[in-house]
Structure formats: C-alpha cells, structure tokens
Amino acid sequence: MDVSKRIGRQTVALPSKPGILSWASVAGQKEKEGPYGSKFDIIIPDELNGEQSFEAAERAMLEQAVKLSAQKAGRSTQELQMLLSGDLLNQIISAGFAARNLGIPFYGLYGACSTMSESLSLGGMLADGGFADTLACATCSHFCTAERQYRAPLELGNQRTPTAQWTVTGAGAVLVCGGPAAKGAQAVLTHTTCGRVIDLGITDQNNMGAAMAPAAADTIAVHLRDMGRSFDDYDLVATGDLGHLGKDLLIELLKKKGISVQEKKLFDCGCEIFDARQDTHAGGSGCGCAASMLCAHLLPEVSSGRLKRILFMATGALLSPTTTMQGESVPGVAHAVVIEHVEG
Amino acid sequence: MDVSKRIGRQTVALPSKPGILSWASVAGQKEKEGPYGSKFDIIIPDELNGEQSFEAAERAMLEQAVKLSAQKAGRSTQELQMLLSGDLLNQIISAGFAARNLGIPFYGLYGACSTMSESLSLGGMLADGGFADTLACATCSHFCTAERQYRAPLELGNQRTPTAQWTVTGAGAVLVCGGPAAKGAQAVLTHTTCGRVIDLGITDQNNMGAAMAPAAADTIAVHLRDMGRSFDDYDLVATGDLGHLGKDLLIELLKKKGISVQEKKLFDCGCEIFDARQDTHAGGSGCGCAASMLCAHLLPEVSSGRLKRILFMATGALLSPTTTMQGESVPGVAHAVVIEHVEG
C-alpha cells in the first residue's frame, strides 16, 4: 500500500492533485430562465428532449453531458475508463441505461442529491491512486421523473408546500484525470471528506432542506477540523440543494458547533439556480442542481481564477416513499471535495 | 499520482494486495434449509427479524453482518473508515439506514445484484491507494421486500414462471484493510475488473439469468484477456446469481468468445444456495445471494487454502419496473475481483 493519505477518519488527501480536465452542463427551459440560464452548455428543447418518456429524456441529458465533457477535452468516450454515476430514479435507471449506451465501464452510485460530490470524491481517489487515467463523474435529475416517482403525477396539479423545493431538470459531467492525462487540467482536486449519515428526526418529506442541513453541517465541521482550516481558507463553500430554509438551518447548526461562519461565502446551488419570480418555493433540488451549477458556474469560476479554492459539497436525503410511509425519519448525507485553481 | 496500475481499459492491479481481515454472513430460514445452511454465521428467526416491517428486517440483517465482521476482526465499527454498500430497494434504504445506525462514513452504491463485487472492487482500490486502513463492503437482500417492490404483493400468491429466481434473504459483510491494518489478513485482493453495461435485448423481467449472462461473459472474457490468463489460473470462477438458466447461457457465450471453459470450475451462488427440493425454479438471486455465499462458503475456502485463487464476480440486472413498463430491455453488469489465499 502507498503511504496513508488519511487525515482523520473521514478526510483524505489526494497528493497527486487529480486534474479536472473538462466539464459540461445540460439544463431545461425553466433553468434557462433562471439567473444562470446563459451559462449552461446545452438547453434541452422541452421536457421530452426528443425522447418518448420523461425517464428517457433524463437519460439522454446525462449522455449529452458525458459526451460533451469528453468532446471538450478532445477525448472519445471510448477513452474513458470509468463512469461513476447515479441519479434519483429507482434502480438509477438514468445512469445504468446511459452507461449501456455510452459503453463506459460503470460503477453505479446512489447518494440521492449528493451524487455529484460522491462521484467526485470516489473519482478523485481512484485517479490519485493510479487506477484511472481518465474517468467521468456525472449525474442528472428531471422535474417530471422526480415528481412522478417521489410525489404525485403532475396531472393531479397538487399544491406544493412552502418548504418544498423544485427538482432541477439538468445534468452535469466532469472529466477527472490522473498522471500524465491530467496535463492541461483547468482545476484540481486536493482533498475529500466522506460524509456520515446524519438524522435529526425530520419526518416531513416536503422539507428536504431541513433533513439535509444537519449532514451538511456535520461534513463541513469534520472537514474543517480534520484539515485545521476555517472559512478563511476557502473562497466559497458551495452546497448542493439545501434551499433557502436548509441554508438558514446550516448556518444555525454551524454556529452551534462553534464554527465562525462567513455567510457571504456560503453558496447554495438550490438557492441560486432559480430566482424569486420562478415560484419554486424553497429553491431548486435534485442531483442535477449541484451538477449543472458546478459545471455551468463553479468550475468556470475556479478555472478562471476568480475563485482560488472552493469546498464543493452536494447533499442528499436518503429516504424512499416506502420508508416515509413506514414512519421513518429522513437522514441526510453530504460528501465534500476541495477544488483548487491551477496557475497557468 | 502513483504509477499507473491499469492493465487494459477495465482491469487494474492492486499491487499492495489489500487484506480481507474478516467476514460475516446472515441468512433466512429457507437458506438455512439449503445445502449451505450450516455455514451461515447468523440465521434470522423469521422474516421480520425482530422488526416491524420486512424492510426494517433487511436493514437489520445488514447491520448484523457489518457488526459481526468487525467483531470477528477485533474492531469496533467506529474504527471503520468507510462503508461501501447498497441493496436492491429503491433509494438503497437498507444500506442508507444501516449506515445511519452504524455511524460509519458511507458511500452508497447501486449495482443491483452485482453490489457485493462492486463494493469489493472499489474497496480494494481505495485500500490499495492508501485512502482507508479499514473499510467494510456489504450488501443484503430479502425475499419479501424484493417481491413487494419488483413483482407483486406476496398475499396475491402469484404463480412464478419457470425462469424465475428466488431472492435470497441474506446479507454479507467483508472487512478490507490496507497497510499495516492488513496484518493477519486471511485472504487478499490482487486485481479487479470493472464491468461494462451489456444488453443483448432480453425483455422478460422474469428471466434475469438470461439478462445477466452476457455481462458475466463480457467481464470474464475481458478479465482473462487483460490478465493474459485462462481458467487454468483459477481454482474457481464464482458468479453471483445467474441461476441454472443463466449459468448455461454463460458457458455458451464464453465458448462463442473462444474461451476454453472448464465447467467444473464455474460456481454460481444462485445455483448452489438452494437445492432442487426447495422449489426455487431457476435458483437463488439478490444482492444477498452472492454476499452470503461469499462470506459463508467462498472466503472460508480461500482462507483455509482449499481454494488458492478465485475470481469472484457478482452480476446485476439494471432494470426498474418503470423501464420494463416502458418496453426497455434489461441490461446487465458484472464486476470481478481476484481473491487469493495467504500462506500462513
């Protein structure tokens, strides 16, 4: 074994600094109308995205993101050695069927909305460890498939609660490289913190922000403690989809843990992707929220040097309709990766 | 980055040979009555396993397996740095809730019935790369939860087709160690091959063996080619849950690929776990099939030296009830790990 790269129980260093070679984002029409609408690489024409079902539309978005990320790096998908991917749908069918069509060796993940940072966390370690020259980390979500599966058919026109979030129709893919393949990288991964599953007893499945905030707070606190760092060391701490309510709770929980929070550095993709006019209540959510915002906004900011070092941490709520019906609470999980600018 | 450990596109070496320190298996009453019944560590008393629902019973089995594997190695679960786990249920609730209760940092996986070898494949790389001293790879399945979710309520008493398999009620957990923590290992991981998603167009959701056999054949063929090996180099090639039909198809597909198959070395956990008297039609299936048989039978055989080197490869069918209703075919995936005896 190589010398241990562990820093505490949950954090590891990636000493070779695996490179982020390229990225691509796909989003829907509602996301196009939001404040970051002009930054997405591909906007799908409508909810069906040229397919026969919403589920197929979601799968196609994921394929588009992976293909475009490869194309931007001048690679063919056949050169990618692993696809680390998952999504919100039962049996991660978007990722599984996309992997079939793309022909890339596939590790299926399920981390709910934390999948983008789960894939980068694992992908960073696999690239650093010499197990892959080039691999893709990717995920997606779709408003219509998520509503159908987790809530109610759209046709019912159910009213949404004030704490509800709007599942983003979007996808993101990131190419992570190790060794010589990482030359030309536009950003690097330096550390990652694997999250624990945290449950403070939230039972309202329409309040995912409250369910995920404790996991976000736990992972941030563990990461800063393991690294001996504070908010001073980051230009931005980006969370996935806590939404307005969850972000407020995160701040409160971090303060309770004695962490000096610099609120202006907290950037929640779920709070940012839509604006108040768009009537999404507590904000955006879904695997595709953090993934598309990472690829459309955050990585370009790091690549250009406007942000020098960020902590990227998508958050997931680990419930199912079955556990909710059985009266279980909603635990959350959050994985973090440190992404740094490369001086060119 | 460390020097590349890649051997071909899909196979990697684990040069430090991460150790398998301990393992534990849990199984149900029907499995107890099968030919390997006396080998399982824990037999649950009934389908509810002391819980209020079949889903909670399944989660509890997974926890039992992880706890016992840690106990056998003289570790507390608090010493485990990662849990790599998933299961068959929507949103992998068994693994997610077990991770909550166990308090182990958690990467959620979904590989359907391939999860046991997916977790060992990733776990082997993470231990070899120096990212974990001790981690747990684990999975489970439960006949009653799988029937409820994938097929029909048990109360309906639906007749099963001749090609149907019986989801195993069982769990398995394996402790994988890197570095000094690997001292005292009873077996080691030396290589792993990441599977592609293969789809030969099977659309019968009651014929999972046929859906998974092409992926099994692909991964075996790729592995042998990458490694420059043949069946001569293995004492056993163990598949997860192809069942009687799938195993026959695997042999046929391997022969078509020009591979010299030594049929007596093919051991399918799904064919072995039940006997003909038990009326399971094409055999056992489920994540827990390969996991419980690995921990009850295969690892003890390798540890004792009766088997010197095996290829362990669980196979998964990447369908959901939704994709089946939408007319999609059933792709499969299979990940392989090489497990070797340690001369003591």
Side-chain angles (χ1 to χ4, degrees):
Chain A
M1 198 195 65
D2 310 314
V3 74
S4 178
K5 295 159 184 169
R6 298 206 63 79
I7 306 168
R9 185 185 184 202
Q10 293 176 244
T11 303
V12 299
L14 308 172
S16 74
K17 300 190 180 180
I20 293 181
L21 211 58
S22 63
W23 51 83
S25 60
V26 181
Q29 290 292 327
K30 189 180 181 85
E31 290 70 22
K32 178 189 170 191
E33 292 161 11
Y36 295 80
S38 64
K39 295 190 165 195
F40 301 110
D41 291 310
I42 297 171
I43 300 290
I44 63 173
D46 58 31
E47 287 152 344
L48 282 170
N49 194 19
E51 301 285 336
Q52 297 293 313
S53 68
F54 298 141
E55 287 74 16
E58 180 177 327
R59 186 216 73 234
M61 281 199 301
L62 184 60
E63 288 178 44
Q64 288 171 286
V66 174
K67 283 181 185 166
L68 182 58
S69 68
Q71 191 186 315
K72 284 185 179 185
R75 311 287 169 105
S76 83
T77 52
Q78 289 306 306
E79 292 174 73
L80 306 183
Q81 291 148 345
M82 294 175 193
L83 172 64
L84 299 170
S85 184
D87 57 86
L88 286 177
L89 298 188
N90 295 342
Q91 289 75 55
I92 59 163
I93 48 174
S94 304
F97 282 86
R100 176 192 67 182
N101 297 353
L102 292 164
I104 309 172
F106 173 58
Y107 289 116
L109 309 180
Y110 185 80
C113 303
S114 74
T115 304
M116 192 67 234
S117 56
E118 182 184 2
S119 67
L120 287 170
S121 177
L122 287 166
M125 289 189 282
L126 296 179
D128 182 71
F131 304 105
D133 305 319
T134 313
L135 59 85
C137 300
T139 184
C140 58
S141 58
H142 192 303
F143 174 74
C144 302
T145 64
E147 288 297 310
R148 169 140 77 189
Q149 180 182 282
Y150 286 99
R151 295 174 195 97
L154 290 171
E155 293 82 351
L156 286 179
N158 279 2
Q159 199 166 5
R160 304 169 66 246
T161 67
T163 57
Q165 292 174 245
W166 187 281
T167 305
V168 164
T169 299
V174 175
L175 249 57
V176 175
C177 296
K183 272 184 192 157
Q186 308 204 44
V188 293
L189 296 167
T190 66
H191 296 83
T192 181
T193 300
C194 175
R196 292 181 291 190
V197 178
I198 305 291
D199 189 345
L200 293 194
I202 301 294
T203 54
D204 178 1
Q205 63 164 325
N206 289 307
N207 192 350
M208 291 295 99
M212 297 187 290
D218 188 72
T219 300
I220 291 176
V222 165
H223 176 81
L224 295 179
R225 184 200 65 204
D226 285 351
M227 299 291 293
R229 285 184 178 172
S230 71
F231 270 70
D232 285 340
D233 296 294
Y234 292 96
D235 291 340
L236 211 68
V237 174
T239 50
D241 58 349
L242 296 174
H244 300 291
L245 199 78
K247 187 179 171 185
D248 288 349
L249 286 169
L250 171 64
I251 294 168
E252 198 177 318
L253 289 165
L254 285 174
K255 286 180 176 169
K256 273 195 183 167
K257 288 173 187 283
I259 290 168
S260 174
V261 184
Q262 294 171 28
E263 295 185 26
K264 67 177 197 308
K265 286 187 178 175
L266 277 177
F267 178 99
D268 183 68
C269 300
C271 292
E272 301 288 335
I273 192 166
F274 299 120
D275 65 27
R277 288 178 303 104
Q278 293 184 283
D279 193 28
T280 60
H281 299 209
S285 67
C287 301
C289 179
S292 64
M293 287 292 280
L294 175 70
C295 297
H297 175 64
L298 295 169
L299 284 173
E301 292 291 297
V302 174
S303 169
S304 69
R306 284 187 293 274
L307 295 172
K308 297 290 187 196
R309 182 196 282 156
I310 69 170
L311 188 68
F312 174 73
M313 183 182 65
T315 53
L318 299 176
L319 80 164
S320 87
T322 301
T323 55
T324 301
M325 283 193 289
Q326 292 178 348
E328 272 282 9
S329 52
V330 183
V333 72
H335 303 291
V337 287
V338 179
I339 307 176
E340 288 187 7
H341 173 65
V342 178
E343 296 295 341
Chain B
M1 197 196 65
D2 310 314
V3 72
S4 179
K5 295 158 184 171
R6 299 206 63 80
I7 305 168
R9 185 187 185 199
Q10 293 176 242
T11 302
V12 300
L14 308 172
S16 74
K17 300 191 179 178
I20 293 181
L21 211 58
S22 62
W23 50 84
S25 60
V26 182
Q29 289 293 328
K30 190 179 179 86
E31 291 69 23
K32 178 190 171 190
E33 292 161 11
Y36 294 81
S38 65
K39 296 191 165 195
F40 300 110
D41 291 309
I42 297 172
I43 300 289
I44 63 173
D46 58 30
E47 287 153 344
L48 282 170
N49 194 20
E51 301 284 337
Q52 297 292 313
S53 68
F54 299 140
E55 287 74 15
E58 179 178 327
R59 186 216 74 234
M61 283 198 301
L62 184 60
E63 287 179 45
Q64 289 171 286
V66 174
K67 283 181 185 166
L68 183 58
S69 69
Q71 192 185 314
K72 284 185 180 185
R75 310 285 170 109
S76 83
T77 51
Q78 289 307 304
E79 292 173 74
L80 307 182
Q81 291 148 345
M82 294 175 192
L83 172 64
L84 300 170
S85 184
D87 56 86
L88 285 177
L89 298 188
N90 295 342
Q91 288 77 55
I92 60 165
I93 49 173
S94 305
F97 282 87
R100 176 192 67 180
N101 297 352
L102 292 164
I104 309 171
F106 172 59
Y107 288 115
L109 309 180
Y110 186 81
C113 303
S114 75
T115 305
M116 192 67 235
S117 56
E118 182 185 2
S119 67
L120 287 169
S121 177
L122 287 166
M125 289 188 282
L126 296 179
D128 182 72
F131 304 106
D133 305 318
T134 313
L135 58 85
C137 300
T139 185
C140 58
S141 58
H142 191 303
F143 175 73
C144 302
T145 64
E147 288 298 308
R148 169 141 77 189
Q149 180 183 283
Y150 286 98
R151 296 172 193 99
L154 290 171
E155 293 82 350
L156 285 179
N158 279 3
Q159 200 167 4
R160 303 168 66 244
T161 68
T163 57
Q165 292 173 247
W166 187 281
T167 305
V168 164
T169 299
V174 176
L175 249 55
V176 175
C177 296
K183 273 186 191 155
Q186 308 205 43
V188 293
L189 297 167
T190 66
H191 296 83
T192 181
T193 299
C194 176
R196 291 181 291 189
V197 178
I198 306 291
D199 189 344
L200 294 194
I202 302 294
T203 54
D204 179 1
Q205 63 164 326
N206 289 308
N207 193 349
M208 292 295 99
M212 297 188 289
D218 187 72
T219 300
I220 291 176
V222 165
H223 176 81
L224 296 179
R225 184 200 64 204
D226 285 351
M227 299 290 295
R229 286 184 179 171
S230 72
F231 270 71
D232 286 339
D233 296 293
Y234 292 96
D235 291 339
L236 211 66
V237 174
T239 50
D241 59 348
L242 296 174
H244 299 290
L245 199 79
K247 187 180 171 184
D248 288 349
L249 286 169
L250 171 64
I251 294 167
E252 198 177 319
L253 288 165
L254 286 174
K255 286 180 176 169
K256 273 196 181 167
K257 288 173 187 285
I259 290 168
S260 173
V261 183
Q262 295 171 26
E263 295 186 24
K264 68 179 194 305
K265 288 188 179 175
L266 277 177
F267 178 98
D268 183 69
C269 300
C271 292
E272 301 288 335
I273 192 165
F274 299 120
D275 65 25
R277 288 179 302 104
Q278 293 184 282
D279 193 28
T280 61
H281 299 212
S285 67
C287 301
C289 179
S292 65
M293 288 292 280
L294 174 70
C295 296
H297 175 65
L298 295 170
L299 284 173
E301 292 291 298
V302 175
S303 170
S304 70
R306 284 188 292 276
L307 296 172
K308 298 290 187 194
R309 183 195 281 156
I310 69 170
L311 188 68
F312 173 73
M313 183 182 65
T315 52
L318 299 175
L319 81 163
S320 88
T322 301
T323 55
T324 301
M325 283 193 289
Q326 292 178 348
E328 271 283 8
S329 51
V330 183
V333 72
H335 303 293
V337 288
V338 179
I339 307 176
E340 287 187 8
H341 173 65
V342 178
E343 295 295 341

